[in-house]
Amino acid sequence: MCGIIGYTGKKKAMPLLMQGLKMLEYRGYDSSGIALAGQNEFKVYKKMGKLENLEAIVPRNAAALSGIGHTRWATHGGVTDANAHPHAGYRGKAVVVHNGIIDNYLELKQELQGKGANFLSETDTEVIAQLVEHYLVDQKMTPENAVLTTLGRLEGTYGLGVMFADHPGLIIGAKNGSPMVLGLGDKEVFLASDASSFAGLTRQVVYLQDKEIAILKPESWETRNLRNEAVFRNAEELTWNHEEAKKGDYDHFFLKEIFEQPQSVARAFGQGGRLVPEYGTAKLGGLNLDKREFFDIERVVFIGMGTALNAAQVGARMMESWARLPARAEDASEIRTGNPIVERNTLYFAVSQSGETADTIASIHEIQEKGGRVLGIVNTVGSSLARMCNGGVYIHAGPEISVASSKAFTNQLVVMGLIALFMGRMRVLSLTQGQAIVKEFGELPEKLQAALGCRSQIMALAKKYRNAKSMLFLGRGIMAPLAMEGALKLKEISYIHAEGYAAGNLKHGPLALISPEVPSVFIVANSQNLDRVVGNMAEVKARKGPVICVSNIDTPKLRNLADDLIIVPETCEELAPVVAALPLQLFAYYLAMELDRDIDRPRNLAKSVTTE
Ligand code: AGP
Ligand code: GLU
């Protein structure tokens, strides 16, 4: 969950590590810390809270040419200075930054305490540092062997960076279940959990694989497996533009990313390259299935967590509507902890922005173990998820930095829509129907641009409802999962309690919550469900609940009932959630602004949840 950055080379390490941590802070911000290499010692600086706190205590001009840094999202042990990483062995010979969870840390801790080790933190991570140091000092192992022997004793997940007091310039990285990438410069090497942390410094990267270590020195790097055999890996060129990972003129990444959607959605359909107007279908190279194999598919399951799960729910409805194939969405954490029934002829899609979400990755392992075929719908190129799937489609949203997802959500919808169109054309859609859908995709960027025009109306709404303690988000059909996404966005960044429901469920419980203090947000599409949703709105009004309505049709039925009506451009029902998502994102944003929240880094959350 956290961010790791390491540097060894010919430049001063401190500014590079601080810059890297700034880029990584969205991954975890409970505390941060840095260890700098010196002669026969290392110096550790760490502080709880935001990165500013660390910045205030580090020596800016430190001469060290190598070091490791960390931003933490606590799993074991409270948010304190002592629990912040890096963690060192009690004799000051090895120091570690870690992302992940060590399941057997208590046994290891007891064993090491029995040998005289003095522990300073409550973290699981500290056992790694103490164990490496034990093998290094007591058993006189080389740094490589000390790390490899330690890894052999760990149960759990890790992305690791280790430094040694007596080997300045040497950093050993390791990966098992958490992302790790090397950045190769001129006589310098970076080690990071995310390539954005050395953006602008090098584009040559090597992705470490599970159960591998990397040995970094200023002038060399190598990768080995846990049996200490060399593994040869070629460097790859990073494709994305790091300017996109900067805030520019916007106050927050979240707002910037909302406003990028007309462009990012166009990238999802390859600026037209993934659309085939002539045959009314979509062309998706990465699916790695030939058309004959698609004939055998009887069912589609989309898997994800959080926003990706909400997107998956929309995707399943698109698939059923356009391809008339049974489709559903599943919570990856439920798959991994349950005993999923993997049926023959079922095609699974794992949906994820980061491609590093632990629950999603574990569910893929489980499905693959049972013989299922999983394809990825992923944003981060080269991520663990992208690598473990049998194929898939990149959503090309570009770097998404805000913890709350916006453009990755709409791009996921578009890509699932393309897959549904492609499969629909093979099954039930005629050429003319397909062509009409292709046209709708093509018009999305313009419509999203127009939808963003509701910004000032939403700013006023946020002022009006800033004192709400709770809100309901309601929609029917394909808008039901969008209601859940609207509620998730609001909770996440404004901390206002919100629930998303299929509007038909209103009378079955949630109606009890309605009062003048609890506004309801209805999301309405031009569908056969319109009258039913209008009925639900009337039920809320009758109980004096304020009604906000986001709709792509402007009819007196809605005008008469809604206290506030936000009209967005019309599109076909399947793509309506893509357009209607924007006012909901803006609504969450401006309410969070009203309440002075930390919008890009909401409390208790982190961008990619790489721990269980
Ligand atoms: C989105 O706003 C949330 N921060 C969160 O629910 C997120 O969508 C979820 O953790 C899944 O992440 P992923 O897409 O990187 O797999
Ligand atoms: N489990 C470790 C801790 O709680 C690492 C957490 C992280 O990945 O940030 O300190």
Side-chain angles (χ1 to χ4, degrees):
M1 179 80 84
C2 68
I4 288 178
I5 171 83
Y7 173 82
T8 182
K10 55 192 177 180
K11 299 189 195 122
K12 283 188 178 170
M14 180 59 89
L16 295 170
L17 296 174
M18 280 311 292
Q19 183 186 327
L21 287 180
K22 276 196 188 123
M23 297 303 296
L24 289 171
E25 206 188 3
Y26 71 98
R27 296 175 72 101
Y29 31 83
D30 287 336
S31 60
S32 52
I34 278 179
L36 291 176
Q39 279 313 320
N40 305 107
E41 60 166 9
F42 42 75
K43 287 225 153 37
V44 176
Y45 307 89
K46 51 191 193 177
K47 209 76 200 146
M48 61 185 272
K50 297 276 162 62
L51 202 55
E52 293 104 81
N53 302 355
L54 177 68
E55 226 165 356
I57 61 160
V58 293
R60 281 161 194 280
N61 254 329
L65 304 179
S66 65
I68 49 180
H70 186 268
T71 62
R72 178 171 187 239
W73 188 84
T75 66
H76 291 59
V79 178
T80 61
D81 288 348
N83 288 339
H85 298 215
H87 291 287
Y90 73 106
R91 286 165 284 191
K93 292 296 180 191
V95 63
V96 167
V97 285
H98 167 225
N99 168 207
I101 292 177
I102 304 306
D103 297 324
N104 60 338
Y105 81 103
L106 279 176
E107 291 114 272
L108 293 170
K109 190 168 180 173
Q110 273 166 10
E111 177 188 321
L112 287 158
Q113 281 170 330
K115 292 188 164 87
N118 178 20
F119 277 76
L120 295 177
S121 81
E122 303 149 353
T123 63
D124 50 341
T125 302
E126 192 179 350
V127 299
I128 309 176
Q130 302 279 11
L131 207 51
V132 171
E133 185 173 274
H134 163 67
Y135 290 124
L136 201 64
V137 178
D138 303 327
Q139 306 220 0
K140 313 230 168 342
M141 288 187 188
T142 60
E144 289 86 339
N145 282 334
V147 171
L148 284 166
T149 314
T150 299
L151 298 183
R153 307 232 21 225
L154 302 181
E155 284 164 25
T157 53
Y158 50 78
L160 274 186
V162 192
M163 279 202 327
F164 309 86
D166 299 325
H167 302 268
L170 171 68
I171 299 176
I172 299 185
K175 162 170 163 60
N176 187 36
S178 301
M180 273 278 113
V181 58
L182 311 189
L184 314 177
D186 176 21
K187 298 198 177 62
E188 59 183 9
V189 194
F190 295 86
L191 172 76
S193 44
D194 179 337
S196 68
S197 60
F198 47 75
L201 298 165
T202 173
R203 287 187 159 276
Q204 295 298 309
V205 296
V206 175
Y207 292 98
L208 207 59
Q209 301 297 303
D210 276 351
K211 302 203 166 36
E212 280 182 11
I213 66 163
I215 300 167
L216 280 61
K217 295 177 188 162
E219 314 226 348
S220 69
W221 62 273
E222 56 180 306
T223 47
R224 295 187 192 167
N225 62 23
L226 296 189
R227 291 185 302 278
N228 208 9
E229 296 156 349
V231 183
F232 296 100
R233 297 224 168 272
N234 289 326
E236 298 173 34
E237 174 106 9
L238 215 55
T239 46
W240 55 264
N241 171 4
H242 80 274
E243 284 304 314
E244 277 186 61
K246 293 189 179 157
K247 238 185 296 190
D249 295 333
Y250 289 92
D251 289 339
H252 295 96
F253 277 110
F254 187 55
L255 189 64
K256 170 175 179 270
E257 289 159 6
I258 292 173
F259 273 85
E260 267 170 29
Q261 288 173 107
Q263 293 79 40
S264 60
V265 153
R267 287 199 297 267
F269 55 76
Q271 316 285 357
R274 285 175 166 175
L275 296 171
V276 193
E278 194 186 353
Y279 299 113
T281 188
K283 187 172 66 196
L284 298 158
L287 292 178
N288 290 345
L289 262 81
D290 68 31
K291 284 210 169 148
R292 275 169 199 282
E293 289 179 277
F294 276 105
F295 273 129
D296 297 332
I297 293 164
E298 290 168 5
R299 206 170 294 100
V300 175
V301 182
F302 295 99
I303 305 161
M305 296 302 294
T307 287
L309 178 59
N310 291 335
Q313 304 269 16
V314 177
R317 285 164 167 85
M318 289 170 163
M319 187 62 78
E320 294 209 331
S321 177
W322 279 339
R324 301 303 297 150
L325 251 183
R328 62 177 198 270
E330 285 211 17
D331 180 312
S333 68
E334 289 293 308
I335 294 187
R336 74 175 299 191
T337 50
N339 183 9
I341 298 171
V342 174
E343 293 151 306
R344 184 180 287 278
N345 299 341
T346 299
L347 183 57
Y348 290 85
F349 286 98
V351 187
S352 173
Q353 187 286 126
S354 62
E356 303 296 348
T357 300
D359 285 315
T360 311
I361 287 179
S363 71
I364 299 172
H365 275 300
E366 186 58 21
I367 293 162
Q368 288 179 336
E369 206 51 50
K370 292 186 173 227
R373 186 196 284 265
V374 190
L375 303 178
I377 296 175
V378 185
N379 193 31
T380 311
V381 177
S383 55
S384 307
L385 197 155
R387 280 156 190 273
M388 66 193 288
C389 287
N390 313 95
V393 187
Y394 283 119
I395 64 168
H396 296 311
E400 191 182 67
I401 305 296
S402 153
V403 166
S405 181
S406 56
K407 60 178 181 166
F409 175 72
T410 43
N411 275 35
Q412 285 159 356
L413 298 192
V414 168
V415 164
M416 286 185 283
L418 294 174
I419 298 169
L421 167 63
F422 167 76
M423 292 176 72
R425 276 289 284 135
M426 290 186 59
R427 299 169 59 87
V428 289
L429 294 175
S430 70
L431 173 61
T432 6
Q433 285 171 318
Q435 285 173 327
I437 295 170
V438 165
K439 190 162 169 284
E440 294 284 359
F441 274 106
E443 290 170 0
L444 273 178
E446 216 177 290
K447 291 181 177 172
L448 293 180
Q449 197 61 54
L452 290 169
C454 68
R455 181 185 189 165
S456 45
Q457 195 187 353
I458 301 255
M459 285 165 87
L461 266 192
K463 286 203 189 317
K464 181 168 168 188
Y465 292 109
R466 66 190 302 279
N467 294 321
K469 292 280 165 288
S470 180
M471 287 198 201
L472 292 183
F473 286 73
L474 302 151
R476 280 185 187 254
I478 203 153
M479 290 309 197
L482 188 66
M484 313 213 175
E485 177 58 10
L488 176 63
K489 279 302 77 103
L490 188 69
K491 288 189 254 222
E492 222 177 349
I493 62 169
S494 75
Y495 316 152
I496 296 174
H497 173 254
E499 297 294 342
Y501 278 101
N505 237 321
L506 185 64
K507 303 193 208 18
H508 300 273
L511 200 56
L513 296 173
I514 298 297
S515 75
E517 287 74 47
V518 180
S520 297
V521 182
F522 282 88
I523 308 127
V524 186
N526 44 338
S527 71
Q528 64 233 30
N529 284 324
L530 178 67
D531 286 334
R532 290 209 173 84
V533 186
V534 168
N536 296 131
M537 284 168 66
E539 286 155 15
V540 169
K541 284 301 289 180
R543 283 150 187 95
K544 300 198 170 38
V547 168
I548 303 161
C549 178
V550 174
S551 170
N552 63 7
I553 32 166
D554 193 351
T555 86
K557 286 183 189 173
L558 297 174
R559 286 231 167 252
N560 291 342
L561 277 172
D563 296 290
D564 299 282
L565 181 62
I566 298 147
I567 299 293
V568 293
E570 193 170 349
T571 174
C572 59
E573 190 177 347
E574 291 76 3
L575 295 180
V578 181
V579 184
L582 276 52
L584 301 182
Q585 296 163 349
L586 285 170
F587 188 50
Y589 177 79
Y590 284 110
L591 271 165
M593 282 291 278
E594 282 295 320
L595 301 172
D596 203 18
R597 304 298 193 217
D598 192 349
I599 295 177
D600 284 336
R601 293 170 300 183
R603 69 185 180 203
N604 307 340
L605 302 181
K607 182 67 177 164
S608 32
V609 187
T610 56
T611 44
E612 280 172 52

